Amino acid sequence: MITVNHITKTYQLKNRELLILKDINLEIPNQSFAGIIGDSGSGKSTLLSIMAGLEKPTDGEVLVNGKNLFQMKDREISRFRNQSIGFVFQSFHLLDNLTALENVMLPMQYGNVPPKQRVESAREALGQVGLSDRMNHRPQELSGGQKQRVSIARAIVNDSRLIIADEPTGNLDSKSGETVMNLFQNLHRQGYTIIMVTHNMEHQRLFTQAIRMRDGEIVG
Ligand SMILES: Nc1ncnc2c1ncn2[C@@H]1O[C@H](COP(=O)(O)OP(=O)(O)OP(=O)(O)O)[C@@H](O)[C@H]1O
Ligand SMILES: [Mg+2]
């Protein structure tokens, strides 16, 4: 369960305060496939980053399976995120000079996983996203849809059961986008919790919970 309690976020500009999130409250049960929708600038990415512990709120708390993110020290948050949350970005965030396999192995470098096991797990994750035949390709040798599948493999390789994705299909053609959505749907069926931002109204029928934002507030 992800619980968001009274989250506010303000940015301090030179002579005024910008209120970006206004008292956000949310409960997302485990095994949900939750979608966040809303106009550009409504605060979707900011909320996702805070739920993932990537950014700190001005006020309020986020609990991920009972763990209060912002009561942890920064190092603890990083560690917790590394073990428990997979983040998928619109622009993939893969390292260009590493192969698909090496990119997927990255999250394991902080754990105590022995090297042989790391390769095994990364291979398995790439298999799950249908890329067993592209493991030694570097990002520039992959299509957009394939890059996004590598980043999904990286998100699940540590056995994180929570995936947070910010417009994961935003940079993809419709067919690749559909492949990515099918993958998420499969992971959801396997019991993963998925929270994603989308601008695509067709995705709504897949969601178990749709969260609509407007001007920093949840409106439904
Ligand atoms: N570092 C910052 N300083 C000041 N304002 C910011 C900062 N980051 C974001 N904002 C503002 O916060 C608001 C919400 O941004 P956010 O990226 O969360 O929107 P979004 O809903 O994800 O939009 P989009 O659909 O375009 O991705 C925007 O008005 C943006 O200008
Ligand atoms: Mg955004």
Side-chain angles (χ1 to χ4, degrees):
M1 168 90 91
I2 295 97
T3 311
V4 174
N5 284 330
H6 301 296
I7 286 289
T8 61
K9 177 77 181 177
T10 57
Y11 284 112
Q12 192 63 52
L13 298 186
K14 256 179 244 145
N15 44 16
R16 67 196 179 101
E17 224 175 42
L18 211 53
L19 185 52
I20 303 299
L21 295 176
K22 308 168 186 168
D23 192 29
I24 303 280
N25 295 286
L26 265 181
E27 277 194 352
I28 302 175
N30 286 341
Q31 306 187 13
S32 299
F33 191 173
I36 302 180
I37 47 189
D39 289 343
S40 178
S42 57
K44 305 180 298 295
S45 295
T46 308
L47 178 59
L48 272 198
S49 304
I50 290 173
M51 286 200 285
L54 289 167
E55 210 177 308
K56 287 207 165 84
T58 307
D59 219 332
E61 59 180 16
V62 174
L63 291 102
V64 178
N65 293 327
K67 271 276 205 184
N68 194 326
L69 286 191
F70 303 109
Q71 271 180 3
M72 294 187 230
K73 297 198 178 74
D74 287 352
R75 274 238 316 262
E76 271 180 279
I77 297 185
S78 303
R79 195 176 180 82
F80 179 75
R81 195 173 49 232
N82 183 261
Q83 299 299 323
S84 320
I85 307 174
F87 210 96
V88 176
F89 301 88
Q90 178 174 353
S91 50
F92 322 123
H93 288 207
L94 299 173
L95 295 185
D96 287 335
N97 54 340
L98 299 184
T99 64
L101 188 74
E102 289 163 345
N103 267 290
V104 175
M105 284 167 64
L106 275 181
M108 289 182 284
Q109 72 183 347
Y110 305 106
N112 301 318
V113 191
K116 231 174 142 180
Q117 178 67 45
R118 291 184 201 177
V119 177
E120 268 312 291
S121 303
R123 282 206 174 117
E124 199 182 307
L126 281 164
Q128 260 194 286
V129 300
L131 286 178
S132 296
D133 57 347
R134 291 289 185 277
M135 291 198 290
N136 297 316
H137 286 233
R138 288 175 209 282
Q140 65 269 27
E141 300 156 356
L142 295 167
S143 73
Q146 289 169 340
K147 280 186 237 189
Q148 197 56 301
R149 280 145 70 197
V150 173
S151 84
I152 294 170
R154 181 183 55 188
I156 61 175
V157 74
N158 263 356
D159 227 10
S160 306
R161 305 300 284 183
L162 170 60
I163 297 176
I164 295 185
D166 195 356
E167 294 194 52
T169 64
N171 280 347
L172 305 179
D173 62 79
S174 59
K175 191 155 178 287
S176 306
E178 211 175 296
T179 308
V180 162
M181 290 307 289
N182 285 338
L183 256 174
F184 279 144
Q185 176 81 342
N186 277 338
L187 291 169
H188 162 60
R189 288 205 186 103
Q190 289 172 44
Y192 284 78
T193 306
I194 297 168
I195 306 173
M196 68 172 278
V197 168
T198 184
H199 280 289
N200 187 335
M201 289 305 154
E202 278 175 34
H203 296 160
Q204 277 198 56
R205 66 191 162 81
L206 301 172
F207 298 143
T208 57
Q209 186 176 358
I211 298 152
R212 187 179 300 276
M213 291 190 71
R214 188 184 299 143
D215 292 336
E217 290 180 285
I218 291 178
V219 291

